[in-house]
């Protein structure tokens, strides 16, 4: 088995941040904007994250959502790799049941060849979309089969990544090309290297599996906050040391938005919450502007949802956001915080990360 250096998983803190800070990008498209606009913002944001020493930059996989232009993480990551030099890039995540394991191994082997030592492969077992779209992606209506078979799919993908199917296996003569990159250690020794695999989840299934396999774990706190602590506890309780990690390592995805004044933060997160209301009620669309959200009349049930949703979005001034992030990290014991800001304007998103970097004293861009 090819091992992944733990140093590539465990980030180093910068400035006064208690744990490494990273970025999760949904490539959100606001009303009046285009996917091209959103992708240009992603390049701008990745460059900023690299300059300010955020640890990693992940792109999520979603489908059939007009306001989320991240249907193809591997393509976006290749684009970002061409515009950055140092920051780790990865999927947050690729939804494994949607794809043949060999295809994922080929895509991320290609990315590793493009940006050696900078690629993470985060994997999820959910479809990242509605049932009909998932069926179109998989060319089958047996959707539960993909989720139930996740451990077997993961094992097959790992074999392709490591190029080590045993003799007699039907895939023994099949190779994911490009395969493992020959990495050179400081002592001049070459060894095969491929992207570290992370398991992503919003419940206990992937937490337990990641623990049993000794893999790093990423939890979606930003949309499953009530399950965060139980899932992290389960991961740590079931963790078995492996060739990858000798101790558990868990990051959590966090919705956070910093603005120059608190009122603007409330306007922005209200609009983002309206987008979620529409998504949850089968009306996905572009992320509405704050002006549209201010004019919208929420029903009592919608208002209840918005209040519940926004209770888990850390927002306000930079100091308020830092206090919220620090408090969350202490409550959960997370080893890394991955910040997402799915709001209307690209300029607002970029400014938020600038303010958060400033609040933690991260290195100023040259």
């Amino acid at each position: 088995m090819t091992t992944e250096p733990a140093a590539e998983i465990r980030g180093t803190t910068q400035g006064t941040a208690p744990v490494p800070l990273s970025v999760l990008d949904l490539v959100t498209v606001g009303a009046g904007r285009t996917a091209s606009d959103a992708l240009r913002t992603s390049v701008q944001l990745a460059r900023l994250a690299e300059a300010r020493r955020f640890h990693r930059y992940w792109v999520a996989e979603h489908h059939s959502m007009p306001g989320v232009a991240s249907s193809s993480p591997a393509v976006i990551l290749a684009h970002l790799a061409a515009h950055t030099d140092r920051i780790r890039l990865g999927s947050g995540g690729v939804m494994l049941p949607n794809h043949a394991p060999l295809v994922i191994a080929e895509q991320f082997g290609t990315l590793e060849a493009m940006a050696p030592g900078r690629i993470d492969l985060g994997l999820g077992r959910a479809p990242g979309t509605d049932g009909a779209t998932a069926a179109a992606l998989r060319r089958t209506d047996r959707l539960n089969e993909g989720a139930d078979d996740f451990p077997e799919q993961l094992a097959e993908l790992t074999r392709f990544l490591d190029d080590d199917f045993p003799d007699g296996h039907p895939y023994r003569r099949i190779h994911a090309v490009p395969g493992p990159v020959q990495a050179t250690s400081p002592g001049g020794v070459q060894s095969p290297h491929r992207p570290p695999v992370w398991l992503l989840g919003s419940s206990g299934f992937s937490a337990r599996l990641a623990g049993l396999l000794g893999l790093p774990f990423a939890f979606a706190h930003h949309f499953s906050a009530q399950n965060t602590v139980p899932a992290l506890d389960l991961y740590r309780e079931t963790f078995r040391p492996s060739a990858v990690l000798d101790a558990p390592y868990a990051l959590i995805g966090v919705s956070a938005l910093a603005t120059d004044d608190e009122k603007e933060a409330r306007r922005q997160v209200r609009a983002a919450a309206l987008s979620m209301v529409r998504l949850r009620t089968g009306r996905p669309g572009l992320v509405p502007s704050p002006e549209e959200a201010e004019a919208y009349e929420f029903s009592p049930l919608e208002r209840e949802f918005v209040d519940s949703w926004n209770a888990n979005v850390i927002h306000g001034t930079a100091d308020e956001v830092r206090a919220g992030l620090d408090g969350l990290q202490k409550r959960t014991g997370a080893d890394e915080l991955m910040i997402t800001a799915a709001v209307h304007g690209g300029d607002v998103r970029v400014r938020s990360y600038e303010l958060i970097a400033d609040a933690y004293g991260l290195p100023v861009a040259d």
Side-chain angles (χ1 to χ4, degrees):
M1 173 182 176
T2 302
T3 61
E4 303 110 347
E8 295 190 352
I9 297 168
R10 299 182 182 278
T12 56
T13 56
Q14 298 284 347
T16 57
V19 297
L21 302 178
S22 294
V23 177
L24 175 62
D25 187 3
L26 275 62
V27 196
T28 48
V29 186
R33 315 289 173 88
T34 66
S36 295
D37 295 328
L39 290 165
R40 280 192 289 270
T41 295
S42 292
V43 171
Q44 183 182 2
L45 186 52
R47 286 172 166 170
L48 171 71
E50 178 170 84
R52 300 302 301 268
R53 299 298 193 269
F54 285 83
H55 183 52
R56 66 183 96 238
Y57 191 107
W58 282 4
V59 178
E61 176 186 342
H62 293 87
H63 299 277
S64 196
M65 298 179 187
V68 179
S70 58
S71 59
S72 185
V75 174
I76 297 170
L77 292 172
H79 185 56
L80 297 180
H83 287 86
T84 56
D85 298 308
R86 298 181 304 274
I87 193 168
R88 296 197 63 81
L89 302 169
S91 55
V94 165
M95 301 298 107
L96 178 53
N98 292 344
H99 313 278
L102 176 58
V103 171
I104 297 175
E106 290 174 336
Q107 289 176 345
F108 279 77
T110 302
L111 288 168
E112 181 68 23
M114 289 177 174
R118 289 208 289 142
I119 303 300
D120 297 325
L121 174 52
L123 299 167
R125 62 189 285 265
T129 187
D130 60 273
T133 306
L137 283 165
R138 303 177 193 180
R139 307 300 298 171
T140 178
D141 58 2
R142 295 176 295 178
L143 299 184
N144 289 333
E145 185 176 278
D148 294 342
D149 289 349
F150 183 79
E152 290 76 15
Q153 292 175 315
L154 174 62
E156 182 179 311
L157 171 59
T158 302
R159 290 288 191 183
F160 277 125
L161 288 170
D162 290 332
D163 196 23
D164 69 349
F165 281 102
D167 291 339
H169 193 282
Y171 295 161
R172 180 66 183 89
R173 297 174 64 86
I174 300 174
H175 308 282
V177 180
V181 173
Q182 295 296 317
T184 304
S185 71
V189 178
Q190 285 198 334
S191 60
H193 175 80
R194 46 82 160 170
V197 170
W198 291 67
L199 295 194
L200 281 59
S202 58
S203 64
F205 182 94
S206 291
R208 180 186 296 276
L209 184 60
L212 292 174
L213 296 178
L215 296 175
F217 178 56
F219 186 81
H221 173 83
H222 54 297
F223 63 80
S224 188
Q226 71 277 10
N227 292 325
T228 303
V229 171
L232 294 186
D233 286 346
L234 180 61
Y235 169 60
R236 293 165 183 143
E237 290 166 3
T238 57
F239 183 86
R240 298 175 181 174
S242 69
V244 177
L245 287 172
D246 57 6
Y249 189 89
L251 71 75
I252 58 175
V254 187
S255 287
L257 181 74
T259 57
D260 289 294
D261 68 85
E262 186 179 358
K263 181 179 178 181
E264 180 60 22
R266 290 197 300 269
R267 293 178 71 244
Q268 294 290 338
V269 299
R270 176 187 172 98
L274 174 56
S275 181
M276 287 303 305
V277 166
R278 290 171 172 169
L279 177 63
R280 294 293 178 90
T281 54
R283 300 172 290 151
L286 302 180
V287 179
S289 68
E291 293 76 18
E292 181 181 350
E294 286 176 336
Y296 183 83
E297 292 293 335
F298 289 92
S299 71
L301 283 177
E302 289 174 337
R303 170 53 60 191
E304 182 178 348
F305 172 84
V306 168
D307 291 344
S308 174
W309 182 263
N310 284 345
N312 294 312
V313 179
I314 299 172
H315 61 284
T317 64
D319 289 341
E320 290 170 331
V321 169
R322 172 172 178 163
L325 291 173
D326 287 349
L328 178 63
Q329 190 277 325
K330 289 179 181 177
R331 291 194 303 274
T332 62
D335 299 294
E336 186 172 335
L337 299 178
M338 179 165 277
I339 302 165
T340 186
V343 294
H344 174 265
D347 55 339
V348 175
R349 293 176 61 220
V350 172
R351 179 59 176 159
S352 176
Y353 288 99
E354 287 178 337
L355 290 169
I356 292 171
D358 289 344
Y360 281 105
L362 301 190
V364 178
D366 295 331

